[in-house]
Amino acid sequence: MPSRAARLLGFVRPYRTAVAAGASLSLVASVLDGLSFALLIPFLRLLFGIDTPEAPGSGRLERWLDHALGGLFDPGDPAAALRNLVLLIVSVVAVKNAALYAAGLLRVRAQEGVARDLRLALHSHLQRLGLDFFTRTRGGQIATRLTSDPDQAKLVIGQVLWSVAQSGTVVLVYVALLFAISARLTLITLVIAPAIAALLHPLLTRVRVRLRDVAHERGELTALAVETAEAARAVKAHGGAGAEQERAARTTRRYGDSIMRVERLSLLAHPVSETLGAAAVLAIVTTGSVTALAGSLRPEALIAFLAVTLRLLPPVKALSHVPALAEQALVAAERVFDLLDRAPTDVDPPGSPDFPGFQREIELRHAWVAHDPERWVLRDINLRIQRGEIVAIVGPSGAGKSTLLDLLPRFVEPARGDVLIDGVSVRRYDRRSLRRALGIVSQHTVLFHDSVMHNIAYGDRAGASREEVEAAARAANAHEFILRLPQGYDTVLGERGLRLSGGERQRVAIARALLRDPEILLLDEATSSLDAESERLIHDAIRRLAGGRTVLVVAHRASTVAYADRVLRLERGRLVEPDAARAPRAARESVA
């Protein structure tokens, strides 16, 4: 498998043109930046009235500048020559900054593109993972993988590749400029700079180690935020504010401690490098002063050399930070790739045929299901359901009722046995086409932060007309209360549909299922937590839905599903009443 760096660079590849163009502009900016400092030499010479660069101590750079800029200088008009030189310096600086601005725009475009592509890859992969992954993984950790980790991983563009390109070219240009001014002083500088980087290396190594802890604790903090929002009602109802505050304090303290450990080391790098840099500058100044006094280096060249040396320190420091920044990006990328490397379980082999439709019967044949090894949730289930039948599954919590329903849409797969429709295993069909034939209403209704219209016309029925949506809402006994909402069908329901009561949310979910016109309807304890009036309205909607459809309904008590043709009981994963007598069709129709 490619290394994490190689895989991350694979996400950079689509933006290689922007990266290359940005690197070229950075090179142009670096050359112009070096030129602006080189122009200090003729500027100082004109400012202090030094006549010619041919005096003893003049270097190659000074002679070249005099040759290149000779046309700008009128020996008889020093003021005009100084004015022309100032305009040239300003123009060079302006063009340099324009190039840096353009390079920065390209950098942002590339790094945000990488972050977007990582998020889209993660989101797409999450759709292909089975429900077991979501039951085992905290929502906050998933949220962090989708938001924070791609932002950290994009640093490979914004801080690593770009720093190497921009700071690296600046260093090369400045070193060449320093050699042109004084080879002796430059060699001293080149000896000191790596020594500073070597002294900082142990600090940066420890920073990289601590970054993994920060990434994990950030995920825990996000998970806490998600749970706090979702559990607000339960916390208030059960007096859990104190316990939640303590849990928040522990989580935030761990996150803060991990940040402090990183920052303690990162902040130490600055004073250490600053002190070492000051010592290096003093060494260069001392050596340069001795050289100038000996007549082998002109004063204006020494001043330019010191200016360039001081300007060289920030890009050198930036390059010394590249390993830590790269590690930060790679740690985040590692978390992203860890999720992308999880084997998708909710996918079908290429060429799987579409589900042709339901004609005769559903059969569960010796079906066994285990969520964990050695713990069977369903045991040897044998069941036949005829087209048009309403079959109720009752039993205590944990008996496996919801798992039995999850077998039909293939949310879970039997470890042994099979599920067949019209004698053909459902494993043969494309999952999406199979699920299009099903209408599913669960106990925990999921509504989105969107309008009622879009919550009903969702997924593969997103293009349904207003008339179709209203017809489905009427059939679900939802139309009347929807019209009483502030904007009717255009009312935004808020996070998780909290603007509605439990019964209203369930009726919207039933309308969503009905809009699909499903051949098979799966109702998983759709009325377990509702008041009597809401339950009556929903049962009335279910009876209306049942006409001509096959319905499997899960309930705790048989009395709540008196309209069913058959009532089967599950206990500890087994059907204990597989031959329960059929309820007369008239009994179903007489239940109010």
Side-chain angles (χ1 to χ4, degrees), residues 460-525:
D460 49 21
R461 291 308 316 275
S465 66
R466 176 61 68 98
E467 291 74 18
E468 291 176 304
V469 170
E470 290 185 4
R474 286 191 178 92
N477 282 333
H479 181 68
E480 296 300 326
F481 85 77
I482 292 173
L483 290 182
R484 291 194 296 270
L485 294 174
Q487 286 83 40
Y489 282 85
D490 295 320
T491 302
V492 176
L493 295 181
E495 191 75 19
R496 301 185 305 281
L498 292 180
R499 296 188 65 170
L500 304 180
S501 69
E504 289 169 342
R505 288 198 296 271
Q506 288 291 54
R507 280 179 275 166
V508 169
I510 290 173
R512 179 195 292 162
L514 179 59
L515 185 63
R516 298 167 65 88
D517 193 20
E519 300 175 81
I520 303 168
L521 188 62
L522 307 178
L523 304 171
D524 186 3
E525 301 192 48

Side-chain angles (χ1 to χ4, degrees), residues 563-592:
Y563 53 82
D565 294 320
R566 277 192 293 164
V567 178
L568 307 178
R569 184 171 183 81
L570 261 178
E571 286 188 5
R572 297 183 179 180
R574 293 186 183 275
L575 280 174
V576 296
E577 298 178 29
D579 298 319
R582 286 175 176 268
R585 179 75 64 170
R588 186 188 83 197
E589 296 170 351
S590 65
V591 176

Side-chain angles (χ1 to χ4, degrees), residues 99-117:
L100 284 178
Y101 176 74
L105 290 179
L106 291 168
R107 171 182 59 81
V108 171
R109 177 183 176 185
Q111 72 178 25
E112 293 307 317
V114 169
R116 181 189 64 241
D117 292 347

Side-chain angles (χ1 to χ4, degrees), residues 120-293:
L120 290 175
L122 283 169
H123 197 276
S124 175
H125 192 70
L126 284 171
Q127 308 307 313
R128 304 169 68 212
L129 296 178
L131 292 181
D132 57 332
F133 167 78
F134 296 94
T135 58
R136 294 194 309 265
T137 308
R138 299 186 73 185
Q141 289 288 357
I142 296 174
T144 300
R145 303 286 177 94
L146 283 168
T147 54
S148 178
D149 286 340
D151 278 337
Q152 296 296 315
K154 75 182 182 185
L155 292 177
V156 76
I157 286 285
Q159 302 294 335
V160 179
L161 294 181
W162 226 263
S163 184
V164 170
Q166 185 168 324
S167 299
T169 53
V170 167
V171 168
L172 291 175
V173 169
Y174 283 3
V175 168
L177 184 60
L178 292 176
F179 267 111
I181 297 174
S182 173
R184 180 182 177 186
L185 290 181
T186 303
L187 290 173
I188 295 173
T189 305
L190 294 180
V191 169
I192 293 174
I196 294 175
L199 290 171
L200 290 175
H201 180 73
L203 283 176
L204 299 176
T205 301
R206 294 181 66 185
V207 168
R208 292 197 294 272
V209 173
R210 300 296 187 187
L211 285 171
R212 290 186 178 88
D213 296 335
V214 172
H216 175 75
E217 295 301 336
R218 186 185 296 115
E220 291 299 302
L221 191 63
T222 305
L224 174 68
V226 172
E227 289 181 0
T228 298
E230 292 181 346
R233 186 185 297 272
V235 170
K236 294 179 183 298
H238 297 283
E244 288 304 310
Q245 186 64 23
E246 291 177 7
R247 188 162 72 103
R250 288 195 302 272
T251 304
T252 53
R253 184 169 55 250
R254 287 197 304 269
Y255 179 65
D257 290 345
S258 66
I259 291 289
M260 279 301 300
R261 285 191 290 270
V262 171
E263 290 299 324
R264 190 179 296 122
L265 296 172
S266 298
L267 292 173
L268 185 60
H270 177 73
V272 170
S273 62
E274 191 84 7
T275 303
L276 294 173
V281 170
L282 287 174
I284 294 169
V285 168
T286 302
T287 305
S289 299
V290 172
T291 304
L293 291 173

Side-chain angles (χ1 to χ4, degrees), residues 283-545:
I284 294 169
V285 168
T286 302
T287 305
S289 299
V290 172
T291 304
L293 291 173
S296 58
L297 185 67
R298 294 170 62 82
E300 67 272 19
L302 175 60
I303 294 173
F305 188 94
L306 291 174
V308 174
T309 301
L310 291 173
R311 183 65 180 85
L312 184 61
L313 291 178
V316 169
K317 188 184 295 184
L319 288 175
S320 71
H321 291 164
V322 164
L325 294 169
E327 189 63 26
Q328 184 176 348
L330 293 176
V331 167
E334 188 174 32
R335 287 166 53 84
V336 170
F337 296 140
D338 175 67
L339 184 51
L340 290 176
D341 288 340
R342 293 179 183 270
T345 55
D346 197 40
V347 294
D348 298 297
S352 298
D354 287 345
F355 179 62
F358 178 39
Q359 302 297 326
R360 299 184 306 278
E361 70 171 9
I362 300 167
E363 180 184 1
L364 277 69
R365 183 182 297 172
H366 299 292
W368 293 69
V369 175
H371 289 327
D372 299 311
E374 310 302 327
R375 189 171 73 86
W376 293 102
V377 180
L378 294 179
R379 302 166 180 267
D380 198 26
I381 300 297
N382 288 282
L383 176 63
R384 289 176 180 267
I385 301 169
Q386 301 301 315
R387 179 182 172 86
E389 237 188 332
I390 300 179
V391 176
I393 312 294
V394 300
S397 296
K401 306 183 299 296
S402 297
T403 302
L404 191 150
L405 257 61
D406 285 345
L407 286 170
L408 273 174
R410 297 183 64 192
F411 292 152
V412 298
E413 301 282 9
R416 305 178 192 168
D418 207 351
V419 179
L420 303 95
I421 296 181
D422 297 334
V424 179
S425 172
V426 294
R427 298 176 192 264
R428 178 184 175 189
Y429 300 123
D430 173 76
R431 295 168 198 251
R432 293 188 62 182
S433 67
L434 174 65
R435 291 166 186 170
R436 278 196 291 269
L438 306 175
I440 303 171
V441 181
S442 66
Q443 176 184 1
H444 304 291
T445 304
V446 175
L447 296 181
F448 301 95
H449 186 67
D450 208 335
S451 66
V452 177
M453 174 73 182
H454 290 142
N455 267 284
I456 296 175
Y458 177 73
D460 49 21
R461 291 308 316 275
S465 66
R466 176 61 68 98
E467 291 74 18
E468 291 176 304
V469 170
E470 290 185 4
R474 286 191 178 92
N477 282 333
H479 181 68
E480 296 300 326
F481 85 77
I482 292 173
L483 290 182
R484 291 194 296 270
L485 294 174
Q487 286 83 40
Y489 282 85
D490 295 320
T491 302
V492 176
L493 295 181
E495 191 75 19
R496 301 185 305 281
L498 292 180
R499 296 188 65 170
L500 304 180
S501 69
E504 289 169 342
R505 288 198 296 271
Q506 288 291 54
R507 280 179 275 166
V508 169
I510 290 173
R512 179 195 292 162
L514 179 59
L515 185 63
R516 298 167 65 88
D517 193 20
E519 300 175 81
I520 303 168
L521 188 62
L522 307 178
L523 304 171
D524 186 3
E525 301 192 48
T527 64
S528 62
S529 59
L530 304 181
D531 59 82
E533 176 61 18
S534 296
E535 187 173 5
R536 184 190 66 78
L537 289 170
I538 288 176
H539 282 311
D540 184 47
I542 291 172
R543 285 195 298 276
R544 189 178 294 117
L545 280 170

